[in-house]
Amino acid sequence: MIRDLTRILSLWRPRWGWLVAGAAMAVLAALAGVALFAFAGRGVSEGLRTGVLAGAAAGSLLLLRPLILLRPAARYLERLVTHAATFRALADTRVWFFRRLAERLPGGLGLRRAGDLLGRLVSDVEALDGLYLRALVPAVAALAVVLATALLLGAIAPLLAVIVALPLALALLLPPLLAPGAARAAEDVAEAQGALRAAAIDPLLGIEDTLAANAEPRASARLSTAAAALVRTQKRLASRSAWGGAAGTALAQAALLGALGYGLAGGPGVIGAAVIGLFMALAAAESLAALPRAG
């Protein structure tokens, strides 16, 4: 996996400025969300401590105002920059790929399993947009959020920081843990898709022979069998995705429950810190939600 990732990133080296800028904007938007939740939690905790919730909320609103404007602006710029980076990187990848393909297949693709080959040429390159947008960028943003959460809560209550940040740190391990099994399942899907394409295209390429041999029922049965096999492999891949999403949700909820348990066990003296921990866990959950899909 690391070898493949390194090779793809080497192809994108001319666009590293755009790629790094997109990741930086994603980190800025994620940290703005963390700061927004942190100040909101601080306002609530101050209100609970002093008993003047309205006054504390009004004071915190002054601190929240710049963040309320910064976060959507950063999120909008993140979308612009990351998609611009992706489009440029994919354009370079297509030029590189088809130049190499022309060197190796000067006579064209041929007829044997041409539908499968053409489908893979298109879908595999298009799938690389998810590598940056749905894997690398969310992983970098999530790492920044977990570090910020651990540092901010560590300055308030070190034990609370451990309780909240540990499940979040475990969630960071989901992509590398999920990737090998997902790769095997996705390879089965690719093979099944190839068989389905071949079953659909090959009889049409040799339509005269198919009709002459009265082979339409056999071709139709082969197509149905290939479609059923594809559905089975897609279900297995979707099941892995569902379990990965459930694991990410469970870890995010564990951070929330940890902050809640810390507040209940510590008594009135730690309620304020626990409230901030709850808000920080909520902020982190948004960024960590994309990690299972990244895997």
Side-chain angles (χ1 to χ4, degrees):
M1 184 177 63
I2 298 299
R3 182 179 65 251
D4 294 338
L5 180 61
T6 303
R7 186 179 185 189
I8 294 170
L9 291 178
S10 68
L11 295 178
W12 293 349
R13 189 180 294 113
R15 306 297 181 180
W16 273 18
W18 281 97
L19 298 173
V20 172
M25 294 306 303
V27 169
L28 176 62
L31 292 181
V34 170
L36 191 65
F37 274 85
F39 279 118
R42 178 175 175 271
V44 173
S45 65
E46 286 293 321
L48 292 173
R49 184 177 62 84
T50 61
V52 188
L53 190 59
S60 297
L61 185 59
L62 295 176
L63 299 173
L64 291 174
R65 239 176 233 170
L67 294 172
I68 292 173
L69 298 176
L70 174 64
R71 188 164 187 263
R75 185 70 72 186
Y76 178 71
L77 290 175
E78 174 207 341
R79 294 292 189 269
L80 287 180
V81 177
T82 54
H83 282 76
T86 300
F87 292 146
R88 286 166 169 79
L90 288 183
D92 293 345
T93 304
R94 288 190 175 95
V95 170
W96 170 87
F97 182 81
F98 284 103
R99 181 179 291 123
R100 298 286 292 270
L101 186 66
E103 294 171 357
R104 285 159 174 74
L105 297 174
L109 299 180
L111 296 179
R112 179 173 171 77
R113 294 182 69 90
D116 178 25
L117 182 57
L118 182 59
R120 293 196 189 206
L121 299 185
V122 175
S123 63
D124 285 0
V125 174
E126 287 183 349
L128 290 179
D129 67 349
L131 175 65
Y132 178 69
L133 286 177
R134 291 186 287 275
L136 298 180
V137 169
V140 171
L143 177 61
V145 167
V146 172
L147 290 175
T149 300
L151 291 175
L152 289 174
L153 291 180
I156 299 171
L159 179 58
L160 176 63
V162 173
I163 293 173
V164 173
L166 183 58
L168 303 180
L170 292 176
L172 293 176
L173 299 177
L174 285 178
L177 290 176
L178 294 172
R184 290 190 295 270
E187 185 176 353
D188 293 339
V189 171
E191 294 292 339
Q193 284 177 333
L196 179 62
R197 292 191 188 104
I201 299 298
D202 289 352
L204 297 179
L205 292 176
I207 188 65
E208 297 89 352
D209 296 332
T210 302
L211 295 176
N214 292 322
E216 303 99 306
R218 188 167 56 183
S220 177
R222 182 186 174 200
L223 184 63
S224 298
T225 301
L230 175 60
V231 170
R232 288 194 299 270
T233 58
Q234 287 176 330
K235 284 183 177 179
R236 287 198 292 269
L237 182 59
S239 176
R240 288 182 175 275
S241 176
W243 280 110
T249 301
L251 289 171
Q253 294 299 314
L256 283 170
L257 292 175
L260 182 60
Y262 176 85
L264 294 175
V270 299
I271 291 297
V275 170
I276 296 177
L278 285 170
F279 275 77
M280 296 292 289
L282 284 171
E286 179 184 357
S287 297
L288 294 173
L291 287 185
R293 187 179 183 187

